[in-house]
């Protein structure tokens, strides 16, 4: 039984989309957890006299909870554009954290930057989780998400250990968090470009094979069926990127 379970986990993570989006989710959650750990130390360094952190974090969480509902309202649109958002949102979140580390010299500016970051993250994370779920139809969701959470905790522990070993200050911590988010956006963009190139190659190969089949089976009935990438880089439940035809004609 353990062997079968391990094989199922291996087959699930061997899909490039599942592996990459799970990694995206783990890195983003790990960094965000650390920002919630260190943010009060940063604001104490910005202004050690005044402290409105309690009021601020209550309002920030309330605003972020509303932002977390945005993906639910535009689900159909997200199915076509989630890839771009999962690049742009980490880039925006990282940029805000870098600005918070380098530019914030007053509490109002710091509160605005951190609240904007928090809202962007809470908008992005439901999209990332939905993409993972759509990438593995029929898999054990609880098992995969439990493994993803374990990876998140391991990454968070390692990053916190590194920051502790170098004795980083609060602003340095947030600068590192912002850089990690920016790097995450860059890696995601590279993955999407590689996947799009793979899709085009597979689509061209599938089209050439289909033309050969049609030439030998003229007059037979044709049925349009959902197209599947032969390399498995995009599951059948996901919409192919713009510019790639979602269906092919199959001769039956």
């Amino acid at each position: 039984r353990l062997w079968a379970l391990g094989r199922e986990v291996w087959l699930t993570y061997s899909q490039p989309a599942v592996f990459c989006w799970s990694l995206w989710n783990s890195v983003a959650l790990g960094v965000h957890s650390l920002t919630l750990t260190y943010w009060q130390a940063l604001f104490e360094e910005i202004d050690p006299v005044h402290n409105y952190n309690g009021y601020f974090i209550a309002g920030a969480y309330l605003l972020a909870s509303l932002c977390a509902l945005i993906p639910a309202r535009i689900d159909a649109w997200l199915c076509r554009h989630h890839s771009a958002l999962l690049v742009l949102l980490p880039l925006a979140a990282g940029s805000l954290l870098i600005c918070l580390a380098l530019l914030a010299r007053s509490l109002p500016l710091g509160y605005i930057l951190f609240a904007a970051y928090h809202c962007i993250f809470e908008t992005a994370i439901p999209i990332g989780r939905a993409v993972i779920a759509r990438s593995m139809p029929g898999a054990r969701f609880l098992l995969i998400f439990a493994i993803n959470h374990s990876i998140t905790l391991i990454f968070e522990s390692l990053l916190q250990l590194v920051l502790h070993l170098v004795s980083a200050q609060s602003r340095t911590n947030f600068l590192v968090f912002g850089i990690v988010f920016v790097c995450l956006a860059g890696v995601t963009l590279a993955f999407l470009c590689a996947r799009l190139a793979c899709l085009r190659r597979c689509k061209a190969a599938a089209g050439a094979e289909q033309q050969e089949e049609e030439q030998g089976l003229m007059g037979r009935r044709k049925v349009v069926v959902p197209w599947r990438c032969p390399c498995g880089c995009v599951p059948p439940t996901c919409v192919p990127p713009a510019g790639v035809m979602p269906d092919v004609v199959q001769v039956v």
Side-chain angles (χ1 to χ4, degrees):
R1 182 177 177 82
L2 288 177
W3 171 258
L5 187 62
R7 184 173 182 274
E8 181 180 350
V9 171
W10 170 260
L11 291 176
T12 301
Y13 280 108
S14 64
Q15 301 178 48
V18 176
F19 176 78
C20 291
W21 294 129
S22 296
L23 191 62
W24 184 98
N25 187 79
S26 296
V27 172
L29 280 173
V31 174
H32 182 65
S33 179
L34 290 177
T35 63
L36 296 181
T37 301
Y38 290 107
W39 73 273
Q40 294 194 63
L42 174 64
F43 284 103
E44 184 177 356
E45 181 179 329
I46 292 175
D47 189 342
V49 177
H50 302 91
N51 187 335
Y52 308 103
N53 292 348
Y55 301 106
F56 162 71
I57 201 63
Y61 267 100
L62 180 61
L63 185 59
S65 67
L66 298 178
C67 293
L69 297 176
I70 294 176
R73 300 293 300 174
I74 53 175
D75 183 65
W77 184 84
L78 283 177
C79 193
R80 297 189 299 271
H81 301 93
H82 66 267
S83 298
L85 288 175
L86 292 179
V87 173
L88 295 176
L89 291 178
L91 181 61
S95 300
L96 288 170
L97 289 179
I98 292 174
C99 290
L100 180 62
L102 298 179
L103 303 179
R105 293 293 183 270
S106 64
L107 281 183
L109 179 58
Y111 284 156
I112 291 173
L113 290 173
F114 190 79
Y117 153 77
H118 193 41
C119 290
I120 288 175
F121 176 83
E122 297 299 344
T123 303
I125 204 64
I127 302 173
R129 288 170 175 166
V131 171
I132 296 174
R134 285 173 174 165
S135 300
M136 51 179 188
R140 296 174 183 253
F141 292 102
L142 182 58
L143 175 63
I144 299 303
F145 279 102
I147 294 174
N148 288 350
H149 188 64
S150 297
I151 296 173
T152 299
L153 296 177
I154 294 172
F155 172 77
E156 179 184 345
S157 299
L158 292 176
L159 182 57
Q160 191 165 20
L161 178 62
V162 171
L163 294 174
H164 177 72
L165 291 176
V166 300
S167 301
Q169 301 299 317
S170 297
R171 290 186 182 274
T172 304
N173 289 339
F174 276 80
L175 181 61
V176 171
F177 300 154
I179 291 174
V180 172
F181 267 116
V182 172
C183 291
L184 179 62
V187 172
T188 304
L189 179 61
F191 163 69
L192 292 174
C193 292
R195 190 177 70 164
L196 181 58
C198 177
L199 281 168
R200 288 175 175 172
R201 289 195 302 268
C202 293
K203 186 67 174 178
E209 293 177 0
Q210 190 63 46
Q211 289 179 359
E212 293 178 0
E213 292 179 1
E214 289 181 355
Q215 290 175 358
L217 297 171
M218 294 298 293
R220 305 277 303 270
R221 184 167 60 91
K222 297 180 180 180
V223 179
V224 176
V225 297
W227 174 75
R228 301 188 182 195
C229 181
C231 67
C233 57
V234 174
T237 54
C238 289
V239 178
V244 179
M245 295 300 293
D247 300 317
V248 296
V249 176
Q250 179 180 6
V251 181
V252 296

